[in-house]
Amino acid sequence: MTAENARRRRTAFVTGASQGIGAAVAVALARDGFDVAVSSTRPEKLAGVTAALKAAGAAAVPVALDVRSHSGIEQAMSEVIGAFGRLDVLVNNAGVPLRKLALEVTPAEWDAVMGANLTGTFFLTQHMGRHLIGSKRPGCIISIASTHGLVGRAERSTYGIAKAGIIHMTRMLAIEWAGHGIRVNAIAPGRVESMSPARAATTADPKYLESALKRVPLRRFCSVEEVAQAVCYLASPQAEYITGQTLVLDGGLTAC
């Protein structure tokens, strides 16, 4: 890579990138010309995605991060910015699911879901905002929300509340930081086909899948590649006039 090409490459940090949506997003950004940092609570699981990033011609920086830890966020962001010299795009993907009736949710489960999905997303975004404003550079923040943050559904209350918080956080920070050239957007997928452990139980239940599919007008689920392409679009110059928005990828589900 020439020095000129290195200067032209943008940088991105994708959290929760060892598999599924996060891994697909990281590789798609690498193919679009980004150098990419990726995180996981278990950094040894990042070997596959790191190899894929390098194969796509990107510099790859794997970091350990539990987004529920404030000190962990500071350490990871310091490592990423130190490695790249700057950070242009943050993709908040890390999170945990919870399928449970509201009457049965425990305080510990509530704290775990809010900490990973909403609190961690906010403080990572805050750190990114400080970096961009401090360096007087524009940038882009994209958070992975969910249609559960837009519509009501049984057994998804805690998770949906956290994702709804991300959606409104996106609006609030887009307004607050627009004057600094920082764009803040979110993506809200419906059910995404992936091999993640969180999908194992429902994927093995044909009746559940049939019922879920019937609710989708396009009669299929979203792919991780489609989420990745949406991220690439929002991170691209073609989306420079888009901020404060949530792009819904649901096959028409929320239009019903």
Side-chain angles (χ1 to χ4, degrees):
M1 182 185 300
T2 66
E4 182 179 359
N5 286 338
R7 285 195 299 272
R8 289 177 179 174
R9 293 184 70 85
R10 299 175 70 201
T11 59
F13 180 23
V14 183
T15 66
S18 64
Q19 61 185 355
I21 291 173
V25 167
V27 173
L29 287 169
R31 290 171 178 163
D32 267 9
F34 283 80
D35 290 328
V36 186
V38 288
S39 77
S40 172
T41 56
R42 296 174 57 189
E44 67 273 12
K45 295 178 65 178
L46 293 168
V49 69
T50 299
L53 295 174
K54 292 178 180 177
V61 177
V63 296
L65 173 61
D66 182 339
V67 298
R68 294 168 294 187
S69 165
H70 295 300
S71 61
I73 287 172
E74 291 181 2
Q75 177 64 30
M77 290 292 283
S78 177
E79 287 183 33
V80 171
I81 293 168
F84 290 146
R86 71 181 196 282
L87 187 57
D88 300 303
V89 175
L90 170 66
V91 182
N92 290 305
N93 174 68
V96 298
L98 180 66
R99 183 183 181 185
K100 198 168 188 179
L101 291 169
L103 293 177
E104 299 176 357
V105 174
T106 68
E109 288 170 332
W110 173 273
D111 289 344
V113 172
M114 291 298 162
N117 291 286
L118 182 56
T119 306
T121 294
F122 176 82
F123 284 106
L124 270 161
T125 300
Q126 181 193 68
H127 206 298
M128 179 66 166
R130 287 173 175 165
H131 166 64
L132 293 171
I133 292 168
S135 58
K136 294 183 171 57
R137 297 178 57 255
C140 175
I141 299 160
I142 303 164
S143 300
I144 305 300
S146 168
T147 53
H148 289 308
L150 296 168
V151 296
R153 184 83 193 281
E155 300 185 321
R156 298 294 195 279
S157 61
T158 305
Y159 180 77
I161 291 165
K163 292 299 187 178
I166 289 175
I167 290 168
H168 199 54
M169 179 193 77
T170 294
R171 300 186 188 103
M172 292 290 194
L173 298 185
I175 298 301
E176 191 166 318
W177 294 345
H180 299 284
I182 301 171
R183 296 188 300 109
V184 187
N185 291 295
I187 294 171
R191 183 183 174 93
V192 178
E193 290 287 31
S194 76
M195 301 301 291
S196 68
R199 288 290 186 215
T202 56
T203 299
D205 184 347
K207 289 185 178 180
Y208 176 88
L209 288 178
E210 182 181 3
S211 173
L213 198 58
K214 284 181 178 178
R215 295 194 299 270
V216 182
L218 288 183
R219 294 296 186 268
R220 70 174 181 84
F221 301 127
C222 188
S223 70
V224 293
E225 290 78 17
E226 286 170 319
V227 179
Q229 288 307 309
V231 170
C232 288
Y233 169 66
L234 289 175
S236 74
Q238 287 72 34
E240 284 184 350
Y241 200 55
I242 300 175
T243 195
Q245 303 303 307
T246 297
L247 177 57
V248 181
L249 307 179
D250 70 351
L253 174 69
T254 55
C256 297

Coordinates of all heavy atoms in Angstrom, one line a residue, residues 155-219:
E155 N -42.7 -11.1 25.3 CA -41.5 -11.7 25.7 C -40.3 -10.9 25.2 O -39.1 -11.4 25.3 CB -41.4 -13.2 25.2 CG -42.5 -14.1 25.8 CD -42.3 -15.5 25.4 OE1 -41.9 -15.8 24.2 OE2 -42.5 -16.4 26.2
R156 N -40.4 -9.7 24.7 CA -39.3 -8.9 24.2 C -39.2 -7.6 24.9 O -38.5 -6.7 24.4 CB -39.4 -8.7 22.7 CG -39.4 -10.0 21.9 CD -38.0 -10.7 22.0 NE -37.9 -11.7 20.9 CZ -38.4 -12.9 21.0 NH1 -39.1 -13.3 22.0 NH2 -38.2 -13.8 20.0
S157 N -39.9 -7.4 26.0 CA -40.0 -6.0 26.6 C -38.7 -5.4 26.9 O -38.4 -4.3 26.5 CB -40.9 -6.1 27.8 OG -40.4 -6.9 28.8
T158 N -37.9 -6.1 27.7 CA -36.6 -5.5 28.1 C -35.7 -5.2 27.0 O -35.1 -4.1 26.9 CB -35.9 -6.5 29.1 OG1 -36.8 -6.8 30.2 CG2 -34.7 -5.8 29.7
Y159 N -35.5 -6.2 26.1 CA -34.7 -6.0 24.9 C -35.3 -4.8 24.0 O -34.5 -4.0 23.6 CB -34.7 -7.3 24.1 CG -33.9 -7.2 22.8 CD1 -32.5 -7.3 22.9 CD2 -34.5 -7.2 21.6 CE1 -31.7 -7.3 21.7 CE2 -33.8 -7.2 20.4 CZ -32.4 -7.2 20.5 OH -31.6 -7.2 19.3
G160 N -36.6 -4.8 23.8 CA -37.2 -3.8 23.0 C -37.1 -2.4 23.6 O -36.8 -1.4 22.9
I161 N -37.2 -2.3 24.9 CA -37.0 -1.0 25.6 C -35.6 -0.5 25.4 O -35.3 0.7 25.1 CB -37.3 -1.1 27.1 CG1 -38.8 -1.3 27.3 CG2 -36.9 0.1 27.9 CD1 -39.2 -1.8 28.7
A162 N -34.6 -1.4 25.5 CA -33.2 -1.0 25.3 C -33.0 -0.5 23.8 O -32.3 0.5 23.6 CB -32.3 -2.2 25.6
K163 N -33.6 -1.2 22.9 CA -33.4 -0.8 21.5 C -34.2 0.4 21.1 O -33.7 1.3 20.3 CB -33.8 -2.0 20.6 CG -32.9 -3.2 20.6 CD -31.5 -2.9 20.2 CE -30.7 -4.2 20.1 NZ -29.3 -3.9 19.7
A164 N -35.3 0.7 21.8 CA -36.0 1.9 21.6 C -35.2 3.1 22.1 O -35.2 4.2 21.5 CB -37.4 1.9 22.3
G165 N -34.5 2.8 23.2 CA -33.6 3.8 23.7 C -32.5 4.2 22.7 O -32.1 5.4 22.6
I166 N -31.9 3.2 22.0 CA -30.9 3.5 21.0 C -31.5 4.4 19.9 O -30.9 5.3 19.4 CB -30.4 2.2 20.4 CG1 -29.5 1.5 21.5 CG2 -29.6 2.4 19.2 CD1 -29.0 0.1 21.0
I167 N -32.7 4.1 19.5 CA -33.4 4.8 18.4 C -33.6 6.3 18.8 O -33.3 7.2 18.0 CB -34.7 4.2 18.0 CG1 -34.4 2.8 17.3 CG2 -35.5 5.1 17.1 CD1 -35.6 1.9 17.1
H168 N -34.0 6.5 20.0 CA -34.2 7.9 20.4 C -32.9 8.6 20.7 O -32.7 9.8 20.5 CB -35.1 8.0 21.6 CG -35.7 9.4 21.8 ND1 -36.4 10.0 20.8 CD2 -35.7 10.3 22.8 CE1 -36.8 11.2 21.2 NE2 -36.4 11.4 22.4
M169 N -31.9 7.9 21.3 CA -30.6 8.4 21.5 C -30.0 8.9 20.1 O -29.3 9.9 20.1 CB -29.6 7.3 22.1 CG -28.2 7.8 22.3 SD -27.1 6.4 22.6 CE -26.9 5.8 21.0
T170 N -30.3 8.1 19.1 CA -29.8 8.5 17.7 C -30.3 9.9 17.4 O -29.6 10.7 16.8 CB -30.2 7.5 16.7 OG1 -29.6 6.2 17.0 CG2 -29.9 7.9 15.3
R171 N -31.6 10.1 17.6 CA -32.2 11.4 17.3 C -31.5 12.5 18.1 O -31.2 13.6 17.6 CB -33.7 11.4 17.5 CG -34.5 10.4 16.7 CD -36.0 10.6 17.0 NE -36.7 9.5 16.4 CZ -37.3 8.5 17.0 NH1 -37.1 8.5 18.3 NH2 -38.0 7.6 16.4
M172 N -31.5 12.3 19.4 CA -30.9 13.3 20.3 C -29.5 13.7 20.0 O -29.2 14.9 19.9 CB -31.0 12.8 21.7 CG -32.4 12.6 22.3 SD -33.2 14.2 22.6 CE -34.6 13.7 23.6
L173 N -28.6 12.8 19.8 CA -27.2 13.1 19.5 C -27.0 13.6 18.1 O -26.1 14.4 17.9 CB -26.4 11.9 19.8 CG -26.4 11.3 21.2 CD1 -25.5 10.2 21.4 CD2 -26.2 12.4 22.3
A174 N -27.8 13.2 17.2 CA -27.7 13.8 15.8 C -28.0 15.3 15.9 O -27.2 16.1 15.2 CB -28.7 13.1 14.9
I175 N -28.9 15.7 16.7 CA -29.2 17.2 16.8 C -28.1 17.9 17.6 O -27.6 18.9 17.2 CB -30.5 17.4 17.5 CG1 -31.7 16.8 16.7 CG2 -30.8 18.9 17.8 CD1 -31.9 17.4 15.3
E176 N -27.6 17.3 18.6 CA -26.6 17.9 19.5 C -25.3 18.1 18.8 O -24.6 19.0 19.1 CB -26.5 17.1 20.8 CG -25.7 17.7 21.9 CD -25.8 17.0 23.2 OE1 -26.9 16.6 23.6 OE2 -24.8 16.9 23.9
W177 N -24.9 17.1 17.9 CA -23.6 17.1 17.3 C -23.6 17.5 15.9 O -22.5 17.5 15.2 CB -23.0 15.7 17.5 CG -22.7 15.4 18.9 CD1 -22.7 16.2 20.0 CD2 -22.4 14.0 19.4 NE1 -22.4 15.5 21.2 CE2 -22.2 14.2 20.8 CE3 -22.3 12.8 18.8 CZ2 -21.9 13.1 21.7 CZ3 -22.0 11.7 19.7 CH2 -21.8 11.8 21.0
A178 N -24.7 17.9 15.3 CA -24.8 18.2 13.9 C -23.8 19.4 13.5 O -23.2 19.4 12.5 CB -26.2 18.6 13.5
G179 N -23.7 20.3 14.5 CA -22.8 21.5 14.2 C -21.3 21.1 14.1 O -20.5 21.9 13.6
H180 N -21.0 19.9 14.6 CA -19.6 19.4 14.5 C -19.4 18.5 13.3 O -18.3 18.0 13.2 CB -19.3 18.7 15.8 CG -19.4 19.5 17.1 ND1 -18.4 20.4 17.4 CD2 -20.3 19.5 18.0 CE1 -18.7 21.0 18.6 NE2 -19.9 20.4 19.0
G181 N -20.4 18.4 12.5 CA -20.2 17.5 11.3 C -20.3 16.0 11.6 O -19.8 15.2 10.9
I182 N -20.9 15.7 12.8 CA -21.0 14.3 13.2 C -22.4 13.8 12.9 O -23.4 14.4 13.3 CB -20.7 14.1 14.7 CG1 -19.3 14.7 15.1 CG2 -20.9 12.7 15.1 CD1 -19.1 14.7 16.6
R183 N -22.5 12.8 12.1 CA -23.7 12.2 11.7 C -24.0 10.9 12.6 O -23.1 10.1 12.8 CB -23.8 11.7 10.3 CG -23.6 12.9 9.3 CD -23.9 12.5 7.9 NE -22.9 11.5 7.4 CZ -23.2 10.2 7.2 NH1 -24.4 9.7 7.3 NH2 -22.2 9.4 6.7
V184 N -25.2 10.8 13.1 CA -25.6 9.7 14.0 C -26.9 9.1 13.5 O -27.9 9.7 13.3 CB -25.9 10.2 15.4 CG1 -26.1 9.1 16.4 CG2 -24.7 11.1 15.9
N185 N -26.8 7.8 13.1 CA -27.9 7.1 12.6 C -28.0 5.7 13.2 O -27.1 5.2 13.9 CB -27.7 6.9 11.0 CG -27.9 8.3 10.3 OD1 -29.0 8.9 10.4 ND2 -26.8 8.8 9.7
A186 N -29.1 5.0 12.9 CA -29.3 3.6 13.4 C -29.9 2.8 12.3 O -30.4 3.3 11.3 CB -30.2 3.6 14.6
I187 N -29.8 1.5 12.5 CA -30.4 0.5 11.6 C -31.2 -0.4 12.5 O -30.7 -0.9 13.5 CB -29.3 -0.3 10.8 CG1 -28.6 0.6 9.9 CG2 -30.0 -1.4 10.1 CD1 -27.4 0.0 9.2
A188 N -32.5 -0.6 12.1 CA -33.4 -1.5 12.8 C -33.8 -2.7 12.0 O -34.7 -2.6 11.2 CB -34.6 -0.7 13.3
P189 N -33.0 -3.8 12.1 CA -33.4 -5.0 11.3 C -34.6 -5.7 12.0 O -34.7 -5.6 13.3 CB -32.2 -5.9 11.3 CG -31.1 -5.0 12.0 CD -31.8 -4.0 12.8
G190 N -35.3 -6.4 11.2 CA -36.2 -7.4 11.8 C -35.4 -8.7 12.1 O -34.2 -8.6 12.4
R191 N -36.0 -9.8 12.0 CA -35.2 -11.1 12.2 C -34.1 -11.2 11.2 O -34.4 -11.0 10.0 CB -36.1 -12.3 12.2 CG -35.3 -13.6 12.5 CD -36.2 -14.8 12.4 NE -35.4 -16.0 12.6 CZ -35.2 -16.6 13.7 NH1 -35.8 -16.2 14.8 NH2 -34.4 -17.7 13.8
V192 N -32.9 -11.4 11.7 CA -31.8 -11.6 10.8 C -31.3 -13.0 10.8 O -31.1 -13.6 11.9 CB -30.6 -10.6 11.2 CG1 -29.4 -10.8 10.3 CG2 -31.1 -9.2 11.2
E193 N -31.1 -13.6 9.7 CA -30.6 -15.0 9.6 C -29.1 -15.0 9.9 O -28.3 -14.4 9.2 CB -30.9 -15.6 8.2 CG -32.3 -15.8 7.9 CD -32.9 -17.0 8.7 OE1 -32.4 -17.3 9.8 OE2 -33.8 -17.7 8.2
S194 N -28.7 -15.6 11.0 CA -27.3 -15.8 11.3 C -27.1 -17.1 12.1 O -28.1 -17.7 12.5 CB -26.8 -14.6 12.2 OG -27.3 -14.7 13.5
M195 N -25.9 -17.4 12.3 CA -25.6 -18.7 13.0 C -25.3 -18.4 14.5 O -24.7 -19.3 15.1 CB -24.4 -19.4 12.3 CG -24.6 -19.7 10.9 SD -26.0 -20.8 10.6 CE -25.4 -22.3 11.4
S196 N -25.7 -17.3 15.0 CA -25.3 -17.0 16.4 C -26.1 -17.9 17.4 O -27.2 -18.3 17.1 CB -25.7 -15.5 16.7 OG -27.1 -15.3 16.7
P197 N -25.5 -18.1 18.5 CA -26.1 -19.0 19.5 C -27.5 -18.5 19.9 O -28.4 -19.2 20.3 CB -25.1 -19.0 20.7 CG -23.8 -18.6 20.1 CD -24.1 -17.7 18.9
A198 N -27.7 -17.1 19.9 CA -29.0 -16.5 20.3 C -30.1 -17.0 19.4 O -31.3 -17.0 19.8 CB -28.9 -15.0 20.3
R199 N -29.8 -17.4 18.2 CA -30.8 -17.8 17.2 C -31.1 -19.3 17.3 O -32.0 -19.8 16.7 CB -30.3 -17.5 15.8 CG -30.4 -16.0 15.5 CD -31.8 -15.6 15.3 NE -31.9 -14.2 14.9 CZ -32.8 -13.4 15.3 NH1 -33.7 -13.7 16.2 NH2 -32.9 -12.1 14.9
A200 N -30.3 -20.1 18.0 CA -30.3 -21.5 18.0 C -31.7 -22.1 18.4 O -32.3 -22.9 17.7 CB -29.3 -22.1 18.9
A201 N -32.3 -21.6 19.5 CA -33.6 -22.1 19.9 C -34.7 -21.9 18.9 O -35.5 -22.8 18.6 CB -33.9 -21.5 21.3
T202 N -34.8 -20.7 18.4 CA -35.9 -20.4 17.5 C -35.7 -21.0 16.1 O -36.6 -21.3 15.5 CB -36.2 -18.9 17.4 OG1 -34.9 -18.2 17.0 CG2 -36.6 -18.3 18.7
T203 N -34.4 -21.1 15.7 CA -34.1 -21.7 14.4 C -34.5 -23.2 14.4 O -34.9 -23.7 13.4 CB -32.6 -21.5 14.1 OG1 -32.3 -20.1 14.0 CG2 -32.3 -22.1 12.7
A204 N -34.4 -23.8 15.6 CA -34.7 -25.2 15.7 C -36.2 -25.5 15.8 O -36.7 -26.6 15.9 CB -34.0 -25.8 16.8
D205 N -37.0 -24.4 15.9 CA -38.5 -24.5 16.1 C -39.2 -24.2 14.8 O -39.4 -23.0 14.5 CB -38.9 -23.6 17.2 CG -40.4 -23.8 17.6 OD1 -41.1 -24.4 16.8 OD2 -40.8 -23.2 18.6
P206 N -39.6 -25.2 14.0 CA -40.2 -24.9 12.7 C -41.5 -24.1 12.8 O -41.9 -23.3 12.0 CB -40.4 -26.3 12.0 CG -40.3 -27.2 13.2 CD -39.4 -26.6 14.2
K207 N -42.3 -24.4 13.9 CA -43.6 -23.7 14.0 C -43.4 -22.2 14.3 O -44.1 -21.3 13.8 CB -44.4 -24.3 15.2 CG -44.9 -25.7 14.9 CD -45.8 -26.2 16.0 CE -46.4 -27.6 15.6 NZ -47.2 -28.1 16.7
Y208 N -42.3 -21.9 15.1 CA -42.0 -20.5 15.4 C -41.6 -19.8 14.1 O -42.0 -18.7 13.8 CB -40.9 -20.4 16.5 CG -40.5 -19.0 16.7 CD1 -41.1 -18.2 17.6 CD2 -39.4 -18.4 16.0 CE1 -40.7 -16.9 17.8 CE2 -39.0 -17.1 16.2 CZ -39.6 -16.4 17.1 OH -39.3 -15.1 17.3
L209 N -40.7 -20.5 13.4 CA -40.2 -19.8 12.1 C -41.3 -19.6 11.1 O -41.4 -18.5 10.5 CB -39.1 -20.7 11.5 CG -37.8 -20.8 12.2 CD1 -36.9 -21.8 11.5 CD2 -37.2 -19.4 12.3
E210 N -42.2 -20.5 11.0 CA -43.4 -20.4 10.1 C -44.3 -19.2 10.5 O -44.7 -18.4 9.7 CB -44.2 -21.6 10.0 CG -45.4 -21.6 9.1 CD -46.2 -22.8 9.1 OE1 -45.9 -23.8 9.8 OE2 -47.2 -22.9 8.3
S211 N -44.5 -19.1 11.8 CA -45.3 -18.0 12.3 C -44.6 -16.7 12.1 O -45.2 -15.7 11.7 CB -45.6 -18.2 13.8 OG -46.2 -17.1 14.4
A212 N -43.3 -16.6 12.4 CA -42.5 -15.4 12.2 C -42.5 -15.0 10.7 O -42.6 -13.8 10.4 CB -41.1 -15.6 12.7
L213 N -42.4 -15.9 9.9 CA -42.3 -15.6 8.4 C -43.6 -15.1 7.9 O -43.6 -14.2 7.0 CB -41.9 -16.9 7.7 CG -41.3 -16.7 6.2 CD1 -40.1 -15.8 6.3 CD2 -41.0 -18.0 5.6
K214 N -44.7 -15.5 8.4 CA -46.0 -15.1 7.9 C -46.2 -13.6 8.3 O -47.0 -12.9 7.6 CB -47.1 -15.9 8.6 CG -47.3 -17.3 8.0 CD -48.4 -18.1 8.6 CE -48.6 -19.4 8.0 NZ -49.6 -20.2 8.7
R215 N -45.5 -13.1 9.3 CA -45.7 -11.7 9.6 C -44.9 -10.7 8.7 O -45.1 -9.5 8.7 CB -45.3 -11.4 11.1 CG -46.1 -12.1 12.1 CD -45.9 -11.6 13.5 NE -44.5 -11.8 13.9 CZ -44.0 -12.9 14.5 NH1 -44.9 -13.9 14.8 NH2 -42.8 -13.0 14.9
V216 N -44.0 -11.3 7.9 CA -43.2 -10.5 7.0 C -43.8 -10.4 5.6 O -43.8 -11.5 4.9 CB -41.7 -11.0 6.9 CG1 -40.9 -10.2 6.1 CG2 -41.2 -11.2 8.3
P217 N -44.2 -9.3 5.1 CA -44.8 -9.2 3.8 C -43.9 -9.8 2.6 O -44.4 -10.4 1.7 CB -45.1 -7.7 3.6 CG -45.3 -7.2 5.0 CD -44.4 -8.0 5.8
L218 N -42.6 -9.6 2.7 CA -41.7 -10.1 1.7 C -41.4 -11.6 1.8 O -40.8 -12.2 1.0 CB -40.4 -9.3 1.6 CG -40.5 -7.9 1.1 CD1 -39.1 -7.3 1.0 CD2 -41.1 -7.9 -0.3
R219 N -42.0 -12.2 2.9 CA -41.9 -13.6 3.1 C -40.4 -14.2 3.2 O -40.2 -15.3 2.7 CB -42.7 -14.4 2.1 CG -44.2 -14.2 2.2 CD -44.7 -14.7 3.5 NE -46.2 -14.6 3.6 CZ -46.9 -13.6 4.1 NH1 -46.2 -12.5 4.6 NH2 -48.2 -13.6 4.1

